[in-house]
Amino acid sequence: MPTNQEIATTLRRVAAVFEVIDSDFFRTRAYQNAANAIENLTISAYDLFEQKKLTEIPGVGPNIANHLDELFVKGKSSHFEREMKRVPAGMFGLLGVRGIGPKIAYRLSKKFHLRFEKTAKNDLLKLIKENKLTGMEGFGDKLIAKLKTSIDNQFNKKVRMLQSEAYPIADKLISYLKAIPLVKTAQPLGSIRRRLSTVGDIDIAICTNSPSNVMPEVLKYPEISKVISQGEAVTRIKLKSGHEVDLKIGRVRQWGSLLQHYTGSKLHNISLRTFAATKSLSLSEHGIKNVKNNKIYLAKDEKEFYKKLNLPYIPPELREGEEEIEWAKENHIPNLVEISDIKGDLHLHTSFDFPTSHDLGVSSVREMLKTAHQLGYQYLGLSDHNPKFNDLSVSQKKKILDKRKLWIRSEKQEYEKTVKSNKIKILIGLEIDIRKDGELALQEELLKDLDYAIVSIHSSFDLSKDENTTRIIKALSHPKASILGHPTGRLINQRDSIKADWLRIIDFCKAQGKILEVNASPQRLDLPDDLVKLAIRSGVKICINSDSHDVNQMANLLSGVYVARRGWATKNNVVNTFSFTDLLKMLK
DNA sequence: GCCGTTTTCGGCCCGACTGTTTTCAGTCG
């Protein structure tokens, strides 16, 4: 079945046809809106089709829904196919290259008979080298050179970077900017500020009342390799590291409007402007314009901006154009969980040396307690991997686990000699593999000695949706299995999420009081935010853990807090904000 | 083609930047 992404691509292609052939701007936009909505769905459009709920997707009306029905039933839609045949297929191969939109793609593919999507980029490159574009109306030397560069870049296209990669780059540049005398402040925008798990471009806002004096200073930043484009309000630079950064300049009095505009998301802004239009207001980075008298209201911060629209402040993590504006109108924006609410970390790997199924940690319990103290925690859960399942006898494993327990206790006693107060509680658990058949990789008699268990998939990732669902539910059925660790198993940009029926798993967790982990390891961030939202709406609790193998990683838990916030979590949804007594009840 | 506590008809988010022109088209976010 076509994925949401594939459907969105098809709809965009049909939209492009309407744009270049029919110049039907609004029909074009209707298709683009539908594409955006489907791309941002948290469940598959196919599932909605099965439930006959396609028209509940905002932007999908009866016509597009009918075409999608046909697409799902027959594997293709005659309408989409027919529309796309009106242009040379090479046009679709050119779309997506930076600087090539529908109009240019159409003109080039038609003039040079680019009939194949797959070879279109190469064909165009060849035409450029043979100077075949020279002399075409509207194609000057600069534009042709730009197209060549864009296609070259496409061939070594980069994947979206991790938030943990992008943030430090932005942070370093921001420190530099803040040190410039006329700069009032600076801050990241876009997906960095909304704390998405991955980031495309790095956007930064600079607040100053003297843009013309400040910009030359900004461009002295030693990491810049070249200035890609420069205008009064926006400058795009490339860093020596290869990262591209957009710098937006805003004045103090319009700072709120600027931040709001460039924080996005695009869909949030579109929804917000549609809402503003009902109040005869028009929104832009410059302010809020009353279209009746053309008066512009300047917002110095975002609170003022939203207040002018009669809305409460909407945290950046929620600005995805889903239902946050509806909720804001009702004044129902939740108080999202914060890092200061976190009272402990339940997924930590110690340096206790024994034959585990996976990697050991490198830090002692003593070091972890010291770090926990600095982080203001009240409890820790130690969850080394289970002992090797096949290579050791049950009695050997028991010996190992008993020895581990003694070591943990002695480490704790040693640590407590060094501090006056603040006794941090310790839970002795394990992270246990979920085997292919859903059995836990630890024998029953050893399980009962644990305070709690995190159960996780570390193998057989490629099972079917049904097999994985059954396997996870079976594993969670054990009374000690309180937490499902890094549930989807994804490694961002490296390994896809496992296939599973998350609605069924969430229902099971709700019924049985099981907890879903939000693993804060930067390449995991798992549960992903969209599933966090589904889980929380269903009343399932989450636990935000760092999965540290080194005390230096314990502060990573903050990244998990951002994922939880993007999933609309309040502290009541997160078990490791609870008191130790209440936590124990949840782990039961 | 979609949508509706102004509307089932008549609207549909808003602006920056580049390049090619000389007032605008195309693309991007």
Side-chain angles (χ1 to χ4, degrees):
Chain A
M1 277 307 132
T3 64
N4 289 359
Q5 188 58 57
E6 287 162 351
I7 296 168
T9 300
T10 301
L11 290 169
R12 288 212 177 89
R13 289 176 173 194
V14 176
V17 174
F18 291 142
E19 182 173 351
V20 296
I21 306 237
D22 306 317
S23 301
D24 189 343
F25 179 72
F26 293 111
R27 199 173 176 207
T28 296
R29 206 157 70 194
Y31 272 73
Q32 287 169 345
N33 287 342
N36 288 340
I38 288 174
E39 193 171 50
N40 284 282
L41 285 177
T42 55
I43 57 173
S44 80
Y46 183 74
D47 287 346
L48 287 176
F49 155 72
E50 284 189 317
Q51 298 163 29
K52 304 215 178 300
K53 287 182 178 171
L54 280 173
T55 51
E56 286 181 20
I57 303 170
V60 175
N63 282 302
I64 291 179
N66 273 338
H67 301 317
L68 292 179
D69 277 347
E70 191 189 339
L71 181 66
F72 288 127
V73 173
K74 296 186 184 164
K76 59 181 193 176
S77 145
S78 51
H79 173 254
F80 294 161
E81 305 262 315
R82 195 171 54 243
E83 294 300 335
M84 289 193 289
K85 285 225 173 71
R86 298 167 70 199
V87 301
M91 171 178 161
F92 302 125
L94 299 181
L95 286 176
V97 176
R98 175 175 282 276
I100 299 187
K103 301 251 170 74
I104 290 178
Y106 179 59
R107 274 191 66 194
L108 290 173
S109 61
K110 190 158 166 78
K111 180 173 170 71
F112 295 109
H113 308 290
L114 305 178
R115 289 186 294 130
F116 304 104
E117 181 188 338
K118 282 198 175 151
T119 60
K121 283 197 281 277
N122 262 323
D123 294 344
L124 179 57
L125 211 49
K126 203 167 150 221
L127 290 164
I128 292 173
K129 284 177 185 159
E130 292 166 356
N131 290 324
K132 295 279 171 58
L133 272 61
T134 314
M136 274 178 78
E137 197 189 337
F139 284 75
D141 291 345
K142 280 183 177 176
L143 179 61
I144 294 171
K146 194 173 115 181
L147 296 183
K148 182 176 180 306
T149 314
S150 291
I151 297 174
D152 284 339
N153 288 342
Q154 273 268 309
F155 284 130
N156 44 30
K157 200 178 176 184
K158 282 173 295 178
V159 289
R160 287 173 69 86
M161 66 192 121
L162 297 180
Q163 171 76 239
S164 59
E165 178 188 350
Y167 190 85
I169 296 166
D171 201 43
K172 188 175 167 192
L173 175 50
I174 285 170
S175 300
Y176 174 86
L177 296 170
K178 283 181 172 172
I180 298 172
L182 290 167
V183 171
K184 302 280 183 198
T185 188
Q187 83 169 65
L189 303 159
S191 48
I192 297 187
R193 184 158 182 248
R194 301 200 313 281
R195 305 286 179 177
L196 254 75
S197 299
T198 60
V199 172
D201 288 334
I202 298 169
D203 300 309
I204 290 173
I206 304 169
C207 182
T208 179
N209 281 334
S210 327
S212 55
N213 291 323
V214 159
M215 257 343 266
E217 294 302 310
V218 172
L219 295 178
K220 285 180 190 163
Y221 185 53
E223 301 295 319
I224 295 178
S225 73
K226 80 177 209 194
V227 178
I228 296 172
S229 69
Q230 191 170 10
E232 269 183 50
V234 180
T235 299
R236 190 176 182 90
I237 57 172
K238 188 164 188 171
L239 300 179
K240 288 173 183 165
S241 59
H243 297 97
E244 292 188 0
V245 180
D246 272 354
L247 300 164
K248 331 278 187 185
I249 295 251
R251 289 170 188 274
V252 176
R253 61 177 190 278
Q254 49 126 219
W255 182 238
S257 308
L258 184 92
L259 278 188
Q260 197 289 323
H261 176 84
Y262 285 116
T263 295
S265 64
K266 182 178 177 172
L267 293 183
H268 174 79
N269 285 355
I270 290 172
S271 303
L272 200 63
R273 285 174 196 154
T274 307
F275 168 66
T278 66
K279 298 173 176 292
S280 301
L281 298 172
S282 169
L283 311 180
S284 79
E285 60 266 53
H286 306 299
I288 299 171
K289 187 166 80 177
N290 184 325
V291 293
K292 285 180 182 158
N293 56 19
N294 275 343
K295 273 191 181 165
I296 292 187
Y297 174 81
L298 301 168
K300 72 176 191 306
D301 61 36
E302 284 185 330
K303 248 193 181 126
E304 272 192 20
F305 185 90
Y306 284 101
K307 194 175 171 192
K308 186 69 185 173
L309 299 174
N310 215 6
L311 294 175
Y313 178 74
I314 302 176
E317 293 94 330
L318 300 187
R319 299 182 199 166
E320 293 301 334
E322 286 162 12
E323 68 279 89
E324 70 275 8
I325 292 163
E326 291 306 310
W327 284 52
K329 282 193 237 169
E330 306 287 322
N331 208 13
H332 282 160
I333 294 293
N335 283 321
L336 302 179
V337 61
E338 299 194 27
I339 185 67
S340 56
D341 296 323
I342 299 292
K343 293 198 170 72
D345 188 341
L346 299 188
H347 193 156
L348 298 165
H349 294 268
T350 74
S351 60
F352 182 71
D353 194 3
F354 70 112
T356 63
S357 55
H358 305 284
D359 45 346
L360 298 168
V362 299
S363 303
S364 68
V365 172
R366 239 181 291 182
E367 292 170 304
M368 288 184 163
L369 283 165
K370 191 176 162 196
T371 306
H373 188 99
Q374 289 161 358
L375 293 170
Y377 290 169
Q378 297 173 14
Y379 46 80
L380 288 182
L382 304 179
S383 58
D384 297 308
H385 289 290
N386 57 269
K388 284 194 170 175
F389 185 69
N390 287 319
D391 302 0
L392 300 165
S393 69
V394 175
S395 64
Q396 281 175 315
K397 288 184 207 176
K398 178 152 177 54
K399 251 184 210 159
I400 289 169
L401 292 177
D402 286 346
K403 194 175 154 198
R404 172 174 176 257
K405 199 176 273 185
L406 288 175
W407 175 70
I408 291 169
R409 284 184 184 147
S410 76
E411 285 269 312
K412 182 166 191 281
Q413 280 170 9
E414 287 301 314
Y415 174 75
E416 283 173 357
K417 284 180 191 165
T418 68
V419 290
K420 290 183 188 114
S421 59
N422 183 19
K423 299 232 166 134
I424 294 172
K425 304 274 199 312
I426 284 190
L427 289 168
I428 301 181
L430 278 181
E431 180 181 13
I432 300 172
D433 292 343
I434 298 175
R435 309 188 72 222
K436 192 175 174 184
D437 58 5
E439 292 291 340
L440 299 182
L442 194 74
Q443 281 76 7
E444 187 61 40
E445 56 264 55
L446 302 174
L447 273 161
K448 67 177 166 35
D449 282 346
L450 300 174
D451 291 331
Y452 72 105
I454 298 174
V455 297
S456 317
I457 288 178
H458 290 107
S459 62
S460 302
F461 296 98
D462 289 333
L463 300 186
S464 71
K465 188 171 173 179
D466 273 349
E467 285 170 320
N468 272 327
T469 307
T470 312
R471 169 193 196 196
I472 287 170
I473 287 177
K474 183 171 176 188
L476 279 174
S477 299
H478 193 284
K480 280 286 176 187
S482 313
I483 302 173
L484 179 62
H486 45 73
T488 77
R490 74 164 177 180
L491 293 175
I492 298 170
N493 294 339
Q494 294 173 46
R495 184 172 69 209
D496 284 341
S497 297
I498 59 165
K499 295 195 233 17
D501 185 342
W502 294 108
L503 292 177
R504 233 178 96 199
I505 293 169
I506 285 168
D507 279 349
F508 177 83
C509 291
K510 171 64 184 161
Q512 300 296 320
K514 302 293 179 179
I515 300 159
L516 292 172
E517 179 178 68
V518 173
N519 188 298
S521 170
Q523 70 276 23
R524 287 194 184 275
L525 301 178
D526 179 14
L527 278 190
D529 45 27
D530 52 342
L531 289 176
V532 172
K533 192 163 155 190
L534 272 183
I536 281 170
R537 290 280 160 86
S538 306
V540 172
K541 302 285 189 212
I542 59 172
C543 183
I544 307 171
N545 292 325
S546 72
D547 197 359
S548 293
H549 290 66
D550 181 321
V551 285
N552 294 329
Q553 296 166 356
M554 285 171 69
N556 284 350
L557 198 143
L558 176 61
S559 305
V561 171
Y562 290 129
V563 174
R565 287 169 63 85
R566 289 184 51 80
W568 292 63
T570 68
K571 72 180 201 180
N572 287 334
N573 304 125
V574 183
V575 297
N576 53 329
T577 66
F578 294 2
S579 71
F580 187 65
T581 323
D582 289 342
L583 174 72
L584 287 182
K585 286 178 200 157
M586 297 308 300
L587 293 177
K588 262 294 168 198

